[in-house]
Amino acid sequence: QVQLAESGGGSVQAGGSLRLSCAASKHIPSRSCMGWFRQTAGQEREGVAAIEPGAGSTYFADSVKGRFKITRDSAQNTVYLQMDSLKPEDTALYICAAATCFYGSGVPGIFRRTLRVPEYGGLDFWGQGTLVNVSS
């Protein structure tokens, strides 16, 4: 069973930066997309960013475009989320996820929207999350 472990969260002032990491406990299937969701208390899980296998195409939510960057090190089974120009509204639990996809087919729709609890099973693997707090 693959396990995903996030790190890099913390507290930062508005305008600052953080870099999140998500490391897989063992090799993720080569045809897996990996991405990040975020969630605040009482809210649904929002897709933030995702990347195809082999560092292919990427997806970013409109709210983070131009500020966040996602990269992937397949050899290390790790995906990174560089977050710059952080805003208080970025405060959330950031959760890593992986799901089967195919290079060249684009990031699947499940990474591109807000998920309700019954839809979490549409992803193959989930991490526990890392907290990001942005103060004004």
Side-chain angles (χ1 to χ4, degrees), residues 71-99:
T71 55
R72 180 171 181 168
D73 184 338
S74 296
Q76 299 295 324
N77 299 322
T78 302
V79 65
Y80 303 95
L81 186 67
Q82 177 67 40
M83 306 187 297
D84 298 321
S85 302
L86 283 162
K87 304 175 180 180
E89 51 263 44
D90 294 318
T91 294
L93 179 70
Y94 282 72
I95 309 160
C96 180

Side-chain angles (χ1 to χ4, degrees), residues 54-68:
S57 66
T58 56
Y59 160 77
F60 295 95
D62 287 343
S63 58
V64 306
K65 279 181 182 176
R67 301 188 297 120
F68 289 13

Side-chain angles (χ1 to χ4, degrees), residues 8-23:
S11 295
V12 64
Q13 289 190 323
S17 298
L18 285 172
R19 188 191 193 210
L20 306 183
S21 300
C22 171

Side-chain angles (χ1 to χ4, degrees), residues 4 10 12 14 20 27 30 32 47-48 55 65-66 70 76 94 122 126-127 130 134:
L4 303 178
V12 64
L20 306 183
H27 191 70
S30 59
S32 294
V48 174
K65 279 181 182 176
I70 188 168
Q76 299 295 324
Y94 282 72
W126 287 99
T130 184
V134 184

